[in-house]
């Protein structure tokens, strides 16, 4: 199994400030086709998870441009340029190179 | 409109069997895999297994192999998650999601809450 490790696990943020979540994989997620098989999801309270970022850096349809993904190989980052109240929830990275594995989740809440 | 409609909440006793469903609509059912994902409060999301509706090929996370069965009925574009003998530790919310092989989970069901208690 590929192991996914996120940090931090808890992230209190002041509205309007930036936020950053790190995700590391135990094996490279870079495929020979040049894509990193790493996605980011947000699960808001009481809702199903929703896709934010796929292939490491591609923003999903309808996702605000304050969300961005970067990284390659084993190290990835999700950044929110200016956090809004609606961004609270649990953020997960997930690898899709060898079946699927989620990170532990990072809880973002508002200070 | 793509939709994944999951069956309702279930309350069961340990040792009982259970099958929950995920009915897909609004897209070509055989063109996307269906995965099942578990959410245990305080423990985060956990991928359980997946099925390719085009040929019913399945893959399971090793920790779930032998405890769950994923199946489909193409005639009614529905995927199933089945337990033959539930344990209290199966208490969780279960989600289905669609994806292409190696691809992102772009649509999710609303979840089915399963409670296993004596």
């Amino acid at each position: 199994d590929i192991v996914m490790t996120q940090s931090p696990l808890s992230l209190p943020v002041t509205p309007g400030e930036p936020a950053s979540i790190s995700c590391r994989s135990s094996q490279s997620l870079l495929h020979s086709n040049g894509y990193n098989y790493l996605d980011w999801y947000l699960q808001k309270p009481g809702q199903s998870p929703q896709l934010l970022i796929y292939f490491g850096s591609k923003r999903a349809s309808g996702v605000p441009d304050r969300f961005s993904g970067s990284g390659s190989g084993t190290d990835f980052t999700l950044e929110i340029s200016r956090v809004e109240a609606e961004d609270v929830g649990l953020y997960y990275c997930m690898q899709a190179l060898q079946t699927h594995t989620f990170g532990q989740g990072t809880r973002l809440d508002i200070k | 409109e793509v939709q994944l409609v999951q069956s309702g909440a279930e309350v069961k006793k340990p040792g009982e069997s259970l099958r929950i469903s995920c009915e897909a609509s609004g897209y070509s059912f055989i063109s996307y895999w269906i995965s099942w994902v578990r959410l245990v409060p305080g423990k985060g999301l956990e991928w359980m297994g997946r099925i390719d509706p085009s040929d019913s090929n399945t893959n399971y996370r090793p920790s779930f192999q032998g405890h769950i069965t994923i199946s489909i009925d193409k005639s009614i574009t529905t995927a199933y998650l089945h337990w033959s003998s539930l344990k209290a530790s199966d208490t969780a919310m279960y989600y289905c999601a669609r994806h292409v092989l190696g691809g992102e989970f772009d649509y999710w069901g609303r979840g089915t809450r399963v409670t296993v208690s004596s």
Side-chain angles (χ1 to χ4, degrees), chain B residues 71-94:
Chain B
S71 61
I72 57 158
D73 184 335
K74 275 196 279 193
S75 68
I76 55 172
T77 62
T78 297
Y80 300 99
L81 176 61
H82 175 260
W83 295 262
S84 58
S85 181
L86 286 160
K87 305 174 185 177
S89 56
D90 293 318
T91 295
M93 180 73 89
Y94 293 87

Side-chain angles (χ1 to χ4, degrees), chain A residues 29-40:
Chain A
L29 302 182
L30 180 61
H31 192 275
S32 57
N33 62 13
Y35 289 106
N36 285 282
Y37 282 64
L38 186 283
D39 308 325
W40 289 97

Side-chain angles (χ1 to χ4, degrees), chain A residues 48-93:
Chain A
S48 303
Q50 61 185 86
L51 175 68
L52 296 175
I53 303 288
Y54 62 100
F55 288 149
S57 61
K58 296 184 180 297
R59 199 178 303 117
S61 175
V63 174
D65 60 9
R66 64 179 181 276
F67 290 92
S68 63
S70 63
S72 184
T74 60
D75 290 288
F76 299 89
T77 303
L78 176 71
E79 293 183 327
I80 310 172
S81 58
R82 294 174 304 279
V83 170
E84 297 187 4
E86 66 180 24
D87 299 336
V88 299
L90 279 158
Y91 289 79
Y92 297 91
C93 60

Side-chain angles (χ1 to χ4, degrees), chain A residues 40-52 90-92 94 102, chain B residues 4 6 37-39 44-46 93-97 105-111:
Chain A
W40 289 97
Y41 298 87
L42 164 60
Q43 185 164 29
K44 296 183 179 182
Q47 296 185 20
S48 303
Q50 61 185 86
L51 175 68
L52 296 175
L90 279 158
Y91 289 79
Y92 297 91
M94 186 195 80
F102 289 95
Chain B
L4 297 174
Q6 295 189 231
V37 176
R38 180 171 81 170
L39 176 64
L45 297 174
E46 188 173 23
M93 180 73 89
Y94 293 87
Y95 297 96
C96 61
F105 293 6
D106 60 352
Y107 284 90
W108 294 69
R110 291 188 175 225

